Amino acid sequence: MVDNYGMLNLDIAWCYLTLQSIAELPAVEVRLTKSEKALHRSYGENMERVIALKGSSGWEAALFVRLHLLQGIAAYHLGQIEKSKFYIKKVDSEIERLRVSDEQLADLINMGYNEDEARMALRATYGNLEASVNYIVLKHDEQTAVKKQEKEDLRRRKLQKRLGSTENGDPVNVNLFQNMREMGYNPFLANAALKRANNDINAALQLVLDNIFISSVISSLQDNASSSSTGSSSSEPVPVTQPVSTSVPISSQLPPLSRSLEMLMDQAFDLPDTPDEQSPEEIERSQKAYESLSTGIGSESDYIDLSLSSETQYLEQYKNLLQV
C-alpha cells in the first residue's frame, strides 16, 4: 500500500539530503508538502486507513519518520529553528516507539523466522512478541492463499482456452460449464451445448436433452475420430434411434458399438483438476523470467528502511545542532 507519487517526492527529497544539496532546500520543502498530502491521502491523517486494512500501522509509520526528519532538517537550514525543533522531537519519539529490541528480534529468529520478517512484525505490533508471531503466521497464510489463488487462476485460464468460444464469439462461461459438469453431464456435450446456446444455461440444458443435438455432437466427434484414426472401431457410424436421457451416463443407453465413442467423448475432454506439473526446464525458465522482471522493481519493504539506521544518524546529528 505505497502511494507512488508521495514516495517519489519523498525519495527525491531524501536524495537531496544525502547529496547535501542545500541550494535545493526550497524545492525540497515543496516536495515534502506534496509527499505529506499524498501519504495522508493514502494512509489517513492518523493512519486509520492502514489500521482498517492491515490491523496495524507500525510498518508504514516508518515512512513518516523519514518525512518528519526531512521536514525538520529543511526547516533548520531555512532558519526556521522552532519548527525544526518540533519535527526533530517528533522524530525522536517516533523512532523510540518503532525501535526493535535486539532481544525480541533474536527470540523470533531463534523460532525460525528470518530477520527481515521478524523486524517487520515487531515494528507492526510495536514490540509485542506474541502479536508478532501471529502477524508472521498471518502473512505466511496470506502468501499461501495468494499462491493457491494463482494456481486456481492458471487452471481456469487453461480450462477457458480449452472450452473455446460460443457461436457469437464470446468465451464459453467457465462457471456455467462447471455447473453442468456437477449436474453429471458429459463435459464434451456440456461444452457443445453452451457454445450453441451462447452461454444461455437454460437453453444449454434443453439442448443436452435434445436427441437431434446429441446426435449432431456425436457425429461431429465421430468425424474427428475417423480423421485421426482411420479404420478404428470408433469411426463406425453410431445410430441414435431411441430417446436418450442425459440424467444417467450416455454410455449406458447407447447401442454397444457406441460405447467406445462415449469413451472418446470422455477422453476428448480429459481436463485435470489442477494444472499440469511443470518440468524442471519450465520451472527454471519461469524463475529466470521472474528474476528478470523483478530486478529493479521494489516492494514496500524496499521503501521503508527496516533498521532506520540512516534516519537515526541524521536525527542525532541535528539534535546536537539544535541542542534538544
Side-chain angles (χ1 to χ4, degrees):
M1 185 178 174
V2 173
D3 186 292
N4 291 330
Y5 183 68
M7 285 305 311
L8 175 62
N9 282 288
L10 189 61
D11 286 345
I12 292 173
W14 185 258
C15 288
Y16 284 144
L17 172 63
T18 56
L19 293 172
Q20 298 182 348
S21 300
I22 305 300
E24 300 294 338
L25 282 175
V28 167
E29 191 174 33
V30 172
R31 289 192 178 277
L32 291 175
T33 299
K34 291 179 179 179
S35 177
E36 185 174 33
K37 289 180 179 179
L39 293 177
H40 281 158
R41 185 169 57 248
S42 293
Y43 299 144
E45 291 293 329
N46 297 303
M47 308 291 284
E48 61 271 12
R49 290 191 63 197
V50 177
I51 294 172
L53 288 171
K54 295 188 174 183
S56 69
S57 64
W59 197 32
E60 286 79 6
L63 283 171
F64 288 89
V65 170
R66 177 170 288 190
L67 172 65
H68 296 151
L69 176 65
L70 285 167
Q71 288 174 321
I73 292 173
Y76 174 82
H77 289 286
L78 290 171
Q80 303 167 356
I81 303 303
E82 292 305 316
K83 181 179 178 181
S84 178
K85 286 182 178 180
F86 169 79
Y87 279 116
I88 293 301
K89 288 178 181 179
K90 187 179 183 70
V91 171
D92 197 17
S93 63
E94 288 174 337
I95 286 183
E96 185 59 35
R97 190 181 183 201
L98 293 173
R99 196 180 303 279
V100 172
S101 164
D102 290 339
E103 183 178 340
Q104 289 180 318
L105 186 62
D107 287 341
L108 287 177
I109 293 174
N110 289 335
M111 293 180 192
Y113 304 118
N114 65 54
E115 183 176 349
D116 283 348
E117 67 182 352
R119 190 185 300 277
M120 186 197 319
L122 286 168
R123 178 158 295 151
T125 59
Y126 296 107
N128 186 314
L129 191 61
E130 182 179 354
S132 296
V133 173
N134 293 334
Y135 181 90
I136 294 174
V137 171
L138 177 62
K139 289 300 177 183
H140 285 181
D141 289 344
E142 288 176 354
Q143 291 172 359
T144 300
V146 168
K147 290 180 180 178
K148 183 178 180 180
Q149 186 60 49
E150 289 175 348
K151 190 174 183 180
E152 173 61 17
D153 290 344
L154 175 60
R155 189 194 72 82
R156 288 179 66 86
R157 287 196 298 272
K158 293 178 70 174
L159 175 56
Q160 182 66 78
K161 183 178 180 180
R162 186 73 177 274
L163 293 177
S165 302
T166 63
E167 291 187 354
N168 64 8
D170 294 330
V172 171
N173 189 298
V174 174
N175 292 331
L176 295 180
F177 171 78
Q178 291 177 331
N179 289 342
M180 292 187 71
R181 287 197 65 182
E182 291 171 1
M183 293 177 191
Y185 295 111
N186 178 280
F188 194 90
L189 190 62
N191 186 40
L194 286 170
K195 285 182 174 180
R196 176 73 63 83
N198 293 317
N199 286 327
D200 183 329
I201 184 64
N202 293 322
L205 290 173
Q206 290 295 321
L207 284 172
V208 295
L209 297 175
D210 184 275
N211 292 338
I212 297 176
F213 175 75
I214 295 172
S215 298
S216 68
V217 172
I218 291 175
S219 177
S220 174
L221 185 59
Q222 277 187 298
D223 293 340
N224 292 337
S226 62
S227 64
S228 59
S229 54
T230 304
S232 66
S233 60
S234 61
S235 63
E236 298 177 11
V238 179
V240 182
T241 58
Q242 55 184 347
V244 179
S245 170
T246 53
S247 60
V248 293
I250 295 176
S251 57
S252 65
Q253 305 169 65
L254 296 178
L257 286 178
S258 68
R259 294 191 179 181
S260 60
L261 187 56
E262 168 64 6
M263 294 176 63
L264 276 179
M265 290 180 75
D266 288 332
Q267 294 172 2
F269 229 100
D270 183 19
L271 290 174
D273 291 331
T274 56
D276 298 332
E277 293 294 331
Q278 289 182 301
S279 66
E281 293 77 12
E282 290 175 324
I283 293 174
E284 184 179 357
R285 285 198 300 270
S286 297
Q287 183 63 28
K288 286 182 178 180
Y290 173 79
E291 291 173 354
S292 175
L293 180 63
S294 61
T295 299
I297 300 178
S299 64
E300 283 185 315
S301 59
D302 294 326
Y303 288 107
I304 304 170
D305 182 1
L306 292 177
S307 67
L308 291 175
S309 56
S310 297
E311 285 81 356
T312 302
Q313 290 175 5
Y314 281 115
L315 173 65
E316 293 302 320
Q317 178 184 342
Y318 281 87
K319 281 174 65 178
N320 292 330
L321 289 172
L322 292 165
Q323 296 182 343
V324 296

